[in-house]
Amino acid sequence: SLLTCTPVVTPGHVSMSRPRPAKKGPRVTTVLRIDRSRPPPVLQLGTSSPSLAAAAAASLSAHVAQVDVNMGCPKAFSLQAGMGASLLSTPDLALGI
């Protein structure tokens, strides 16, 4: 979902936001907010796509200390999408990420 967001950088924070339908409340949903007065955080991604992971990491690389790919999540939604722990059974895909 980071790839559908627009970055907003101010002296105090970095946020990644995307438009939201007006009928569901606020017009913008903030997906991620980084407080620039604190040490840079680690960005953890759930992905099954090398190209999408690279694009998401690149979109925030200037604002995070490092990027981590979650390869341990055992939740069904991650496994069904080929993310998390399922990457352990597809080493070629995991290596590509």
Side-chain angles (χ1 to χ4, degrees), residues 23-46:
K23 64 182 177 183
K24 292 189 176 185
R27 297 193 98 114
V28 173
T29 297
T30 299
V31 176
L32 175 73
R33 184 180 171 107
I34 299 170
D35 183 345
R36 296 180 80 183
S37 68
R38 300 181 61 141
V42 173
L43 173 65
Q44 185 177 63
L45 299 175

Side-chain angles (χ1 to χ4, degrees):
S1 69
L2 285 176
L3 298 179
T4 63
C5 293
T6 302
V8 176
V9 180
T10 69
H13 73 275
V14 175
S15 64
M16 298 293 281
S17 301
R18 66 174 177 239
R20 180 177 175 171
K23 64 182 177 183
K24 292 189 176 185
R27 297 193 98 114
V28 173
T29 297
T30 299
V31 176
L32 175 73
R33 184 180 171 107
I34 299 170
D35 183 345
R36 296 180 80 183
S37 68
R38 300 181 61 141
V42 173
L43 173 65
Q44 185 177 63
L45 299 175
T47 186
S48 62
S49 167
S51 61
L52 293 178
S59 72
L60 283 166
S61 64
H63 308 289
V64 297
Q66 65 186 41
V67 176
D68 173 70
V69 175
N70 184 335
M71 294 189 187
C73 183
K75 295 289 189 178
F77 69 87
S78 290
L79 300 175
Q80 292 170 355
M83 303 184 297
S86 70
L87 289 170
L88 299 176
S89 62
T90 55
D92 290 338
L93 178 59
L95 181 62
I97 295 172

